[in-house]
Amino acid sequence: MAKDASKPETQAFEEAWADFKTGNWTENIDVRDFIQQNYTPYEGGEEFLEGPTDKTLRLWDTLEKNYLSVERERRVYDVDVDTPADVDAFPAGYISEDDDVVVGLQTDVPLKRAMMPEGGWRMVETAIKEAGKEPNPDVKKIFTQYRKTHNDAVFDIYTPRIRAARSSHIITGLPDAYGRGRIIGDYRRVALYGVDKLIEEKQKDKDAVANQPFSEHWARYREEHAEQIKALKKLKNMASAYGFDISKPAQNAQEAVQWTYFGYLGSIKSQDGAAMSIGRLSGFFDIYFERDFKRGVLDEKAAQEIIDSLVIKLRIVRFLRTIAYDQIFSGDPYWATWSDAGFGEDGRTLVTKTSFRLLQTLMNLGPAPEPNITIFWNENLPDGYKRFCARVSIETSSIQYEADDQIRSHWGDDAAIACCVSPMRVGKQMQFFGARVNAAKALLYAINGGRDEVSGKQVMDGYEPIKSDGPLDFDEVWEKYEQMLDWVVGTYVEALNIIHYCHDRYAYEAMEMALHDSDIVRTMGCGIAGLSIVADSLSAIKYATVTPVRDETGLVVDYKTEGEFPRYGNDDDRADDIAATIVHTVMSKIKAIPMYRDAIPTQSVLTITSNVVYGKATGSFPSGHEAGTPFAPGANPENGADTHGMLASMLSVGKLDYTDALDGISLTNTIIPSSLGRDLSEQVSNLVGIMDAGFIKQD
């Protein structure tokens, strides 16, 4: 129910913060300190958990029958073609009359998608038509004649070499027509402090530089803060439409979850980033749950219902996308990643009872890819939690795991994952997302002197191909590969600098950035695709005999490989060292280039989804990889090349230097549960053992 806005501010804060231990968080915006001062680590098992309430089941059933089933038939349930999206652009919407636990939809109807034309009109128009609807001509006129979009600006600036690299697919998936994502607002701040306090602090930060002399940085700083303040005011308007006053802090657990969700909802109403992660919430929520339990105003069934209701909302987040976009990302993902577990810097586990409640949603509601539940795994996590994670993984296949030691040592204990593997300190850091370069295709360009092996087109001038018809020489190939990487990486970073300059000007994420500190760390999230193909191909050239096969124009289109060679992914240093050298070489070249807004360059080895698209645009390799076939995802070994089992592949990936890939390294493994043991208990034990062994921190 709505709060009484007439309460004096001091009284509202005293009531909201009653029974909490004080600390720096009471004097400054510091959610991490609030959590560290007040959370209760949990080292027991799942025996306390509750199943879904009747209301939860009715709500989920309504969604399935009336909306999700229809969406599966149509691909897109509906699109609002008249209203450009914004934080408060739509009236309140509900799933059904049962929808009263955690409320709020992106538009006024479940699964109805909103257009976000600030990113680029062409993508919006294409997506609307692909959904079977026609754009509003007045909206089109505004965003083609009167309002410059991010996409227009990017293509005004793009250089001929960027366009050439983009069209030849050596660089794919650039965020030049949609929201960049990889920004996690600290949505918990809305619940802990209320919006009025956040506005007050932003105004102070804005005015703190008021007397400085004019500079581009000074002007941008003040303008961005003005936009953030406007977004926070819109957030209050949006919550008011649902009957809530979020100007003051949340008073109880249900409000804490609702306020936090409103912060996230404001972000997904106004941005369509490639990844719109929600951050690290379990410990924060658990503090409120524990206080309400002690007060006798909440029981476990109600607590689980609140988390179930929130997860239902996260499962129905939707963005207006084109079919081509969905093909790049192999589906319709939005990566509402929820990070959990791990250890604090003081040595206490960050597992709470709400960590269990989050996993329980997969049992209560059934498996789902969203929210992307990401567990920071550590061999010292409580045994009951590790076993529950393993059981839920076996029964739902809906959890991913990250290395807690690596993340905490570089990003602290209040870090969360944006997208799949990209860590950042919540509310203190953001990333300029950059898709990735096709490092495998670059090897073929090196051999062909910048000529595309699929189209035959000369994409890069000034590079000599390998002219010999005899076996390839490793040293010659490596030298040419490094030269080609100079061109590819230089073109790639140039494109990223342009994109993010334009994004800040024409599609700024005011809502998300309003829930950050005023001075933040920015990283430039670069990435590579096709690592295992390059590693195996270079290994083949070095240890076997590889002879190029040319077409009638002299273009190398295939390879004849004779003899055995070590393959990456089998814990064999000969091949694994080549992979590590490739990652280090690319990162070294990235670091040598100045970044927009002095961003810190990082790199990911990712392609969890776009490996299919990259493969379609790429030719044959010395490793035996066939033209047009999918790449292995992320840092995975080539499909079928890892013959020594899952643990060996994990150890190979572990040899990649994390400092060369601080944006994250992805390994996707498939296990048939029956192969883990004879019964569920044995399967759980064995999976925990594999995880513990695979995540041991390597020096």
Side-chain angles (χ1 to χ4, degrees):
M1 59 183 292
K3 298 281 290 299
D4 181 2
S6 65
K7 282 186 178 180
E9 180 175 324
T10 301
Q11 181 183 352
F13 276 83
E14 287 177 353
E15 292 178 2
W17 294 352
D19 304 321
F20 292 151
K21 295 178 182 177
T22 60
N24 184 61
W25 68 271
T26 56
E27 305 298 325
N28 301 286
I29 305 297
D30 189 348
V31 179
R32 177 192 175 272
D33 182 64
F34 167 74
I35 295 169
Q36 289 294 310
Q37 297 289 345
N38 290 282
Y39 87 100
T40 303
Y42 179 66
E43 300 195 4
E46 77 268 27
E47 57 277 358
F48 70 94
L49 290 169
E50 291 282 351
T53 63
D54 290 341
K55 178 183 287 188
T56 296
L57 293 175
R58 288 196 305 270
L59 192 67
W60 190 239
D61 186 60
T62 298
L63 266 174
E64 174 58 37
K65 289 181 178 178
N66 297 344
Y67 299 100
L68 292 168
S69 62
V70 177
E71 182 183 62
R72 285 193 290 271
E73 293 176 4
R74 298 177 182 171
R75 178 180 165 268
V76 173
Y77 178 81
D78 195 9
V79 181
D80 187 303
V81 301
D82 302 314
T83 312
D86 203 350
V87 176
D88 58 353
F90 292 93
Y94 301 87
I95 298 170
S96 68
E97 62 182 16
D98 285 316
D99 187 10
D100 61 359
V101 179
V102 175
V103 302
L105 303 177
Q106 283 175 284
T107 59
D108 56 338
V109 175
L111 306 186
K112 181 194 283 187
R113 306 187 188 212
M115 57 179 170
M116 299 186 184
E118 290 85 358
W121 177 256
R122 282 171 290 183
M123 176 176 274
V124 167
E125 184 171 38
T126 300
I128 289 173
K129 290 182 176 179
E130 288 175 348
K133 307 197 78 171
E134 287 297 319
N136 182 314
D138 293 331
V139 176
K140 178 176 181 178
K141 187 174 184 179
I142 291 170
F143 287 95
T144 55
Q145 295 186 31
Y146 304 126
R147 171 65 156 82
K148 189 170 187 175
T149 68
H150 160 59
N151 184 248
D152 291 333
V154 166
F155 277 85
D156 281 350
I157 303 174
Y158 266 171
T159 61
R161 71 173 186 168
I162 294 174
R163 289 174 179 265
R166 193 177 183 275
S167 62
S168 67
H169 305 290
I170 199 162
I171 303 175
T172 300
L174 291 168
D176 51 17
Y178 59 92
R180 55 191 166 194
R182 303 282 182 88
I183 301 173
I184 308 174
D186 190 353
Y187 306 112
R188 306 165 302 186
R189 295 183 182 190
V190 179
L192 186 57
Y193 297 105
V195 174
D196 282 356
K197 178 66 173 176
L198 300 179
I199 291 174
E200 177 187 332
E201 293 301 315
K202 285 294 180 183
Q203 189 65 51
K204 287 180 182 178
D205 290 338
K206 179 187 176 188
D207 290 341
V209 301
N211 296 322
Q212 293 182 8
F214 180 86
S215 68
E216 184 177 350
H217 170 76
W218 175 88
R220 179 167 54 191
Y221 181 91
R222 285 185 55 78
E223 184 181 25
E224 287 181 350
H225 277 70
E227 291 300 312
Q228 292 171 23
I229 291 168
K230 291 174 187 175
L232 288 167
K233 291 178 179 178
K234 290 178 182 179
L235 187 64
K236 288 205 300 181
N237 292 339
M238 183 264 286
S240 179
Y242 285 95
F244 292 94
D245 173 17
I246 62 172
S247 62
K248 302 299 185 288
Q251 299 281 333
N252 54 50
Q254 185 165 3
E255 287 188 356
V257 175
Q258 179 69 71
W259 271 222
T260 301
Y261 173 61
F262 276 144
Y264 180 71
L265 184 61
S267 294
I268 60 174
K269 278 175 171 284
S270 55
Q271 282 290 330
D272 63 341
M276 298 293 286
S277 301
I278 198 167
R280 180 185 275 266
L281 304 178
S282 295
F284 179 76
F285 289 157
D286 199 76
I287 295 167
Y288 287 88
F289 283 134
E290 287 296 313
R291 186 178 67 171
D292 281 4
F293 288 147
K294 291 176 182 177
R295 291 176 171 179
V297 297
L298 191 74
D299 60 19
E300 184 56 43
K301 203 164 192 67
Q304 186 64 54
E305 183 179 63
I306 292 170
I307 297 299
D308 286 346
S309 184
L310 174 60
V311 167
I312 286 174
K313 294 302 188 300
L314 299 181
R315 289 191 180 188
I316 60 172
V317 173
R318 296 292 186 273
F319 296 109
L320 182 62
R321 306 295 199 195
T322 63
I323 292 173
Y325 178 98
D326 288 351
Q327 289 175 341
I328 290 175
F329 293 101
S330 299
D332 188 17
Y334 46 92
W335 288 292
T337 303
W338 182 325
S339 304
D340 209 342
F343 277 85
E345 293 171 4
D346 62 1
R348 292 183 297 163
T349 178
L350 291 169
V351 172
T352 64
K353 284 189 172 182
T354 301
S355 302
F356 280 81
R357 295 179 187 116
L358 173 62
L359 298 181
Q360 181 69 7
T361 65
L362 293 166
M363 313 298 277
N364 289 354
L365 303 174
E370 301 287 357
N372 179 6
I373 298 175
T374 298
I375 304 303
F376 290 176
W377 188 271
N378 188 301
E379 63 176 323
N380 297 314
L381 286 173
D383 186 64
Y385 183 69
K386 291 200 297 183
R387 293 187 63 82
F388 190 56
C389 285
R391 181 166 78 84
V392 174
S393 285
I394 290 168
E395 295 186 5
T396 71
S397 189
S398 298
I399 307 175
Q400 75 171 23
Y401 298 91
E402 306 275 350
D404 174 57
D405 281 332
Q406 293 282 21
I407 291 171
R408 187 178 65 259
S409 63
H410 286 87
W411 310 107
D413 60 9
D414 197 38
I417 299 298
C419 190
C420 310
V421 297
S422 304
M424 59 189 64
R425 296 177 189 265
V426 177
K428 299 180 179 301
Q429 181 181 338
M430 61 88 72
Q431 181 196 102
F432 294 140
F433 166 60
R436 51 204 61 88
V437 296
N438 191 333
K441 194 176 183 75
L443 177 64
L444 303 184
Y445 274 37
I447 293 170
N448 279 309
R451 194 175 170 200
D452 192 272
E453 76 286 353
V454 176
S455 68
K457 182 179 179 181
Q458 188 71 41
V459 177
M460 301 135 178
D461 294 321
Y463 293 87
E464 285 293 319
I466 291 176
K467 297 178 180 179
S468 172
D469 289 328
L472 295 174
D473 177 74
F474 178 83
D475 291 334
E476 182 184 12
V477 171
W478 179 258
E479 181 181 2
K480 288 186 177 295
Y481 186 47
E482 277 219 70
Q483 292 172 359
M484 188 55 60
L485 286 176
D486 286 334
W487 191 98
V488 172
V489 169
T491 304
Y492 177 41
V493 174
E494 181 179 71
L496 296 184
N497 284 336
I498 291 168
I499 287 167
H500 295 295
Y501 166 81
C502 294
H503 209 296
D504 277 349
R505 291 191 68 190
Y506 298 101
Y508 179 65
E509 301 91 341
M511 186 68 258
E512 290 163 276
M513 298 311 298
L515 299 173
H516 279 72
D517 291 354
S518 289
D519 294 309
I520 61 168
V521 172
R522 294 177 176 86
T523 61
M524 184 70 79
C526 306
I528 60 172
L531 173 64
S532 59
I533 298 174
V534 187
D536 284 356
S537 293
L538 288 172
S539 178
I541 294 168
K542 186 172 184 177
Y543 295 105
T545 301
V546 177
T547 305
V549 178
R550 303 179 187 274
D551 67 9
E552 63 278 3
T553 69
L555 182 72
V556 178
V557 295
D558 206 350
Y559 301 87
K560 181 181 178 181
T561 301
E562 299 173 290
E564 299 295 321
F565 59 94
R567 287 182 175 270
Y568 164 72
N570 295 291
D571 195 21
D572 187 323
D573 287 345
R574 294 175 296 169
D576 297 345
D577 287 350
I578 291 174
T581 300
I582 294 163
V583 175
H584 178 74
T585 299
V586 174
M587 189 65 235
S588 296
K589 294 181 185 299
I590 291 170
K591 285 180 177 179
I593 304 171
M595 301 286 160
Y596 171 65
R597 293 187 84 163
D598 297 322
I600 300 169
T602 61
Q603 179 178 213
S604 65
V605 188
L606 184 52
T607 55
I608 287 178
T609 54
S610 52
N611 50 301
V612 176
V613 173
Y614 278 102
K616 286 182 179 179
T618 308
S620 298
F621 286 85
S623 65
H625 186 95
E626 296 180 359
T629 58
F631 289 1
N636 273 52
E638 267 285 80
N639 298 317
D642 49 336
T643 58
H644 287 59
M646 177 177 167
L647 183 56
S649 70
M650 294 177 77
L651 293 174
S652 288
V653 172
K655 295 173 190 175
L656 303 178
D657 190 339
Y658 184 56
T659 60
D660 287 327
L662 287 172
D663 194 37
I665 302 169
S666 164
L667 172 65
T668 304
N669 276 307
T670 302
I671 308 174
I672 300 172
S674 60
S675 69
L676 289 169
R678 292 163 294 184
D679 55 36
L680 182 59
S681 178
E682 186 176 359
Q683 291 167 8
V684 166
S685 296
N686 287 335
L687 182 55
V688 168
I690 291 171
M691 297 285 287
D692 282 346
F695 277 109
I696 291 175
K697 188 173 182 180
Q698 299 185 30
D699 296 327

